[in-house]
Amino acid sequence: MSSGSLAVIGGGVIGLSVARRAAQDGWSVRLHGTADRGASWVAGGMLAPHSEAWPGEERQLQLGLESLKLWHSGFLEGLPDDVVTARESLVVAVDRADADDLKRVAQWLSAQGHPVTLTSSARDVEPLLAQGIRHGFRAVTELAVDNRAVVEALASQCERLGVTTAGPVESLGDVDADMVVIANGIDAPKLWPDLQIRPVKGEVLRLRWRKGCMPVPQRVIRARVHGRQVYLVPRADGVVVGATQYEHGRDTAPAVTGVRELLEDACAVMPALGEYEFAECAAGLRPMTPDGLPIVGSLDERTLVAAGHGRNGFLLAPWTAERIAAELKARVPA
Ligand SMILES: Cc1cc2nc3c(=O)[nH]c(=O)nc-3n(C[C@H](O)[C@H](O)[C@H](O)COP(=O)(O)OP(=O)(O)OC[C@H]3O[C@@H](n4cnc5c(N)ncnc54)[C@H](O)[C@@H]3O)c2cc1C
């Protein structure tokens, strides 16, 4: 079955997810990319609507939950099992004020029936936590994935489905296809200037387990450390520590202050990490919108957009692919 030709612009997790889904629906897909792997190569890979939740951000929570359900119910099909690196998050607090904040969020979530449970014995759940850390909550349906493995597996799957690849697009007028999806993250406004998407920088570290070290934690650990946030995301060979968040144009140089704070906070939460190998630091640019919600839908008869996923592009990739698939279905060329 052929549905027509589709050009997807951007080869990050969003472009790849959209391309894969459209190819499965019978579109003849060409994926335009650049050598720069974008935010998707840097991300932590948490699929964490509950532990990201905050009163007032109900729509983000709802989208995140819809998308997490899709991760659990089909999005992982065809991807290697080991792209999933954790199946629970534990959110903990280091001091009293942090604990009060977390308690408020957990109570707000559980009052709405979400599967989160408060704990005052966090070290019974995760013995590697620093002494003195007691309070937190567990989010038992959340996942974490190896972001790079997901990107590579989606790219291979696209290739198997017959998706072809091409270089960057300078202007939409140059694109020869029945339909076009703009999915190029922070660069989307270069192709469609009305899109309000700005880069928000984030540093992350990769720490590698080595012989003699305490084992890698089994679940994502998210912590408030004296008002700052840090997370530890398990990988097969260590942990990803993230992430700072601030605006600094398109700068992707990891800055000393960001790296120092992440290391201090990570070791305050899990002192055993001090023995790990410091393998990598990197910074990426989150494509952020003014209201923190992604821009997914139609721009004109030929053009769709899937961009502006901010802190949650991995989490929201399945939901985005489904939304774009539904838009495309309504427009199969005669
Ligand atoms: C530090 C950090 C931590 C994060 N942690 C998480 C997390 O734990 N969980 C989560 O869900 N999300 C996380 N995110 C967010 C997530 O990484 C992004 O939302 C997601 O990667 C956005 O995907 P994208 O495909 O839209 O953009 P990108 O991954 O940036 O990809 C866009 C691609 O388009 C290409 N491109 C640009 N212009 C053109 C053009 N003209 N033609 C062709 N191609 C073009 C770029 O080179 C790039 O490869 C994190 C982000 C950062 C920075």
Side-chain angles (χ1 to χ4, degrees):
M1 173 192 70
S2 176
S3 296
S5 60
L6 172 72
V8 178
I9 305 170
V13 68
I14 297 298
L16 286 164
S17 303
V18 165
R20 178 180 72 161
R21 184 67 174 77
Q24 286 165 338
D25 278 353
W27 288 83
S28 165
V29 184
R30 188 173 64 248
L31 185 69
H32 290 266
T34 71
D36 177 349
R37 308 250 218 170
S40 301
W41 200 246
V42 178
M46 294 172 297
L47 312 178
H50 290 129
S51 42
E52 282 270 328
W54 197 251
E57 297 185 352
E58 283 76 9
R59 181 73 183 138
Q60 280 93 328
L61 174 60
Q62 186 199 342
L63 291 187
L65 288 170
E66 278 178 40
S67 204
L68 181 61
K69 209 186 257 177
L70 294 168
W71 270 98
H72 280 286
S73 69
F75 189 79
L76 284 165
E77 227 164 79
L79 306 184
D81 289 345
D82 59 5
V83 299
V84 176
T85 62
R87 295 187 175 273
E88 177 179 338
S89 308
L90 174 65
V91 186
V92 296
V94 167
D95 67 23
R96 191 73 247 168
D98 296 330
D100 289 344
D101 265 2
L102 281 191
K103 198 170 171 187
R104 241 189 328 273
V105 174
Q107 284 170 342
W108 171 71
L109 285 168
S110 56
Q112 300 169 64
H114 294 294
V116 299
T117 46
L118 273 167
T119 176
S120 55
S121 49
R123 291 186 78 223
D124 289 349
V125 182
E126 184 50 73
L128 293 174
L129 288 173
Q131 283 186 11
I133 295 183
R134 292 192 297 129
H135 296 282
F137 68 85
R138 299 173 74 167
V140 293
T141 56
E142 292 188 346
L143 299 175
V145 290
D146 181 327
N147 58 314
R148 293 176 180 176
V150 167
V151 165
E152 288 190 331
L154 285 172
S156 311
Q157 230 184 339
C158 281
E159 200 182 330
R160 285 198 297 278
L161 287 162
V163 173
T164 58
T165 53
V169 167
E170 298 299 326
S171 148
L172 293 179
D174 299 341
V175 180
D176 177 21
D178 296 322
M179 295 293 300
V180 180
V181 182
I182 299 174
N184 59 336
I186 58 163
D187 290 312
K190 287 188 185 162
L191 296 173
W192 198 277
D194 289 347
L195 295 172
Q196 286 190 50
I197 296 172
R198 66 185 198 284
V200 173
K201 182 176 176 183
E203 278 117 352
V204 290
L205 315 175
R206 283 175 160 77
L207 309 183
R208 193 172 297 133
W209 181 87
R210 54 196 178 128
K211 213 162 163 237
C213 289
M214 297 300 269
V216 173
Q218 294 293 298
R219 50 186 64 73
V220 173
I221 310 292
R222 297 176 71 116
R224 303 283 180 91
V225 186
H226 311 308
R228 285 202 301 251
Q229 305 213 20
V230 69
Y231 55 73
L232 313 174
V233 191
R235 289 290 188 270
D237 66 346
V239 293
V240 175
V241 177
T244 57
Q245 183 167 321
Y246 58 100
E247 303 207 15
H248 207 242
R250 299 174 68 96
D251 171 27
T252 53
V256 172
T257 302
V259 173
R260 191 194 64 211
E261 287 178 1
L262 288 174
L263 279 178
E264 275 174 13
D265 293 348
C267 291
V269 172
M270 199 166 278
L273 291 178
E275 300 298 322
Y276 280 47
E277 177 190 340
F278 185 93
E280 186 188 317
C281 64
L285 301 172
R286 304 172 182 90
M288 205 67 88
T289 58
D291 63 3
L293 292 167
I295 307 173
V296 179
S298 162
L299 293 171
D300 68 19
E301 278 184 4
R302 188 178 83 122
T303 317
L304 305 177
V305 59
H309 291 75
R311 295 196 308 255
N312 286 307
F314 277 84
L315 172 62
L316 297 177
W319 172 84
T320 304
E322 290 306 317
R323 274 292 302 274
I324 294 293
E327 288 278 348
L328 288 171
K329 203 163 259 172
R331 293 152 187 255
V332 176

